[in-house]
Amino acid sequence: MEKIKHFFDIKTKKEFNDFAIRTFIFQYRNNLTYKKYCDSIGRNLDYVSDIKDIPYLPIICFKKSKVKSFKGSSKLFFTSSGTTSKNLSTHHLNKISNYKESFNRCFRSFYGPLEDLTILALLPSYLRQKNSSLIFMMNELINDTRKKESGFYLYNYEKLSRTIDFLEKNKRKSILMGIVPSLFSFGKLFPKKLNHTIIMETGGIKNLTDEITRKEIHQKLKDFFRVDSIHSEYGMTELLSQGYSIKNGIFRNPPWMKIFTYELNNPFKRTAIGKVGRLNIIDLANQESCSFISTDDIGRSFNDSSYEVLGRVD
């Protein structure tokens, strides 16, 4: 059987596993930071023969080192949000094509053709940030809808409210995507019944003054907009792919991205399906950096490859 040449062609578990092993070999040989980590824990090319053997790079390394699998200097990069430049993760890239194809394929697989959508964004904190991967993605998706109403609305809640009323009146399928604090602020000022608009939150929970669970957040948003479910996006600077949740906080990924949970006190031991653990991610779109990342998020995975994000490691 011929090996698939591109991770976007992955359809089966075997194809994913085979491509992951090939990616590990490539990144071990070409990513100095990843190789140093693998060698330090005794997991070199001789050790890894199965996908379960592949080590996951702690996500903090994106703050401490240049995590890249190509020669020469970075032609572009994305940075995370943070209070100081020392707190930022940096994702170095040689070209943008993998990211653009990844988020376009993934978003369309969940929500259909962009030409049929209007996308409204409430992402003020990200707009203030330079080199945000989320803003890059949203700008591309917004432009591809080719709708004059699509765009970033910052703090202009009154204009956003009028726009949503117009879209609802004309029964146009729309998505309002925002960070939780902004969605709360808008919902408190302009609560309304939505029939054709999807509400999608993309985090920002740590910026809330009160401790609150995602379930409680979704209930508040459902009350504001009188909808049956709240959608969510799961992504980060260190990834080039995203997971989406249609309801109940249960996420699914594109075929080239998988989530596994590992023991909180043993980074090398997988947890049983359904048991809470640290989320480790394989994102095969990350060919130019590192595809195997141990995050600081806690959650649980299920038999159908879906998963739940419960919070951050304490």
Side-chain angles (χ1 to χ4, degrees):
M1 183 174 165
E2 187 179 352
K3 292 181 179 179
I4 57 173
K5 297 180 179 179
H6 205 287
F7 52 88
F8 292 129
D9 297 326
I10 291 172
K11 293 183 176 63
T12 68
K13 181 179 179 180
K14 185 180 186 309
E15 288 174 343
F16 183 92
N17 292 355
D18 290 347
F19 207 102
I21 292 291
R22 286 158 53 193
T23 298
F24 167 73
I25 294 170
F26 168 76
Q27 292 183 343
Y28 179 86
R29 289 173 173 167
N30 292 278
N31 188 321
L32 182 60
T33 299
Y34 187 49
K35 183 180 187 302
K36 281 184 177 180
Y37 176 70
C38 292
D39 289 346
S40 73
I41 61 172
R43 296 201 173 189
N44 55 23
L45 294 180
D46 294 331
Y47 181 92
V48 175
S49 59
D50 185 89
I51 190 171
K52 291 183 178 180
D53 303 327
I54 296 176
Y56 292 84
L57 186 71
I59 199 166
I60 196 173
C61 291
F62 281 82
K63 294 182 179 182
K64 305 290 186 181
S65 309
K66 280 192 175 182
V67 182
K68 62 188 188 73
S69 299
F70 57 91
K71 294 180 180 179
S73 58
S74 307
K75 294 182 179 178
L76 65 154
F77 58 88
F78 293 120
T79 55
S80 64
S81 57
T83 53
T84 70
S85 59
K86 293 181 180 179
N87 292 331
L88 303 183
S89 283
T90 304
H91 193 164
H92 296 274
L93 299 172
N94 189 43
K95 55 184 182 298
I96 199 66
S97 55
N98 277 355
Y99 185 43
K100 291 176 75 170
E101 190 165 3
S102 178
F103 69 65
N104 270 293
R105 281 176 180 257
C106 185
F107 194 88
R108 284 173 166 84
S109 72
F110 280 88
Y111 297 102
L114 286 166
E115 299 79 9
D116 298 340
L117 285 171
T118 302
I119 297 179
L120 317 166
L122 275 179
L123 301 164
S125 58
Y126 285 94
L127 280 171
R128 292 194 300 268
Q129 171 195 336
K130 291 184 178 179
N131 302 312
S132 164
S133 58
L134 177 61
I135 294 301
F136 182 92
M137 178 182 82
M138 291 304 297
N139 193 56
E140 293 279 319
L141 296 177
I142 283 168
N143 288 338
D144 286 347
T145 66
R146 302 185 184 278
K147 303 290 193 308
K148 65 179 182 179
E149 294 83 9
S150 292
F152 297 94
Y153 282 78
L154 283 171
Y155 300 102
N156 199 340
Y157 298 149
E158 190 171 339
K159 181 181 178 182
L160 176 59
S161 180
R162 291 197 306 269
T163 300
I164 291 177
D165 290 344
F166 169 79
L167 296 171
E168 284 284 321
K169 182 179 178 182
N170 289 277
K171 298 181 179 180
R172 281 173 46 184
K173 186 179 177 182
S174 307
I175 296 177
L176 172 58
M177 180 176 181
I179 56 173
V180 171
S182 295
L183 291 174
F184 274 11
S185 296
F186 176 65
K188 288 175 184 176
L189 288 171
F190 297 98
K192 56 182 83 247
K193 168 67 174 159
L194 299 179
N195 297 305
H196 308 283
T197 306
I198 291 170
I199 301 294
M200 182 188 296
E201 56 92 359
T202 181
I205 300 172
K206 62 185 178 182
N207 296 322
L208 296 173
T209 54
D210 299 324
E211 284 195 21
I212 185 171
T213 66
R214 178 172 260 109
K215 185 176 181 180
E216 291 169 331
I217 287 168
H218 285 199
Q219 188 56 56
K220 281 179 175 288
L221 292 173
K222 285 192 279 189
D223 293 341
F224 285 143
F225 302 109
R226 285 180 274 165
V227 293
D228 293 331
S229 63
I230 301 297
H231 294 222
S232 302
E233 184 255 7
Y234 180 67
M236 58 187 73
T237 301
E238 299 83 0
L239 302 177
L240 295 183
S241 303
Q242 305 78 37
Y244 289 97
S245 168
I246 304 300
K247 61 180 179 179
N248 300 328
I250 303 301
F251 289 87
R252 295 185 182 277
N253 292 331
W256 57 88
M257 176 184 175
K258 286 191 183 299
I259 301 279
F260 301 97
T261 50
Y262 278 68
E263 296 283 352
L264 294 175
N265 298 318
N266 185 348
F268 309 119
K269 184 179 180 182
R270 277 194 194 179
T271 66
I273 292 294
K275 185 180 177 182
V276 173
R278 183 187 296 267
L279 298 183
N280 283 6
I281 298 175
I282 298 179
D283 181 7
L284 295 176
N286 276 19
Q287 290 292 306
E288 295 180 343
S289 55
C290 182
S291 290
F292 314 98
I293 298 173
S294 178
T295 77
D296 289 332
D297 292 330
I298 293 173
R300 54 181 156 228
S301 57
F302 305 106
N303 281 320
D304 61 354
S305 296
S306 64
Y307 58 99
E308 186 178 13
V309 183
L310 298 173
R312 304 281 284 179
V313 175
D314 189 351

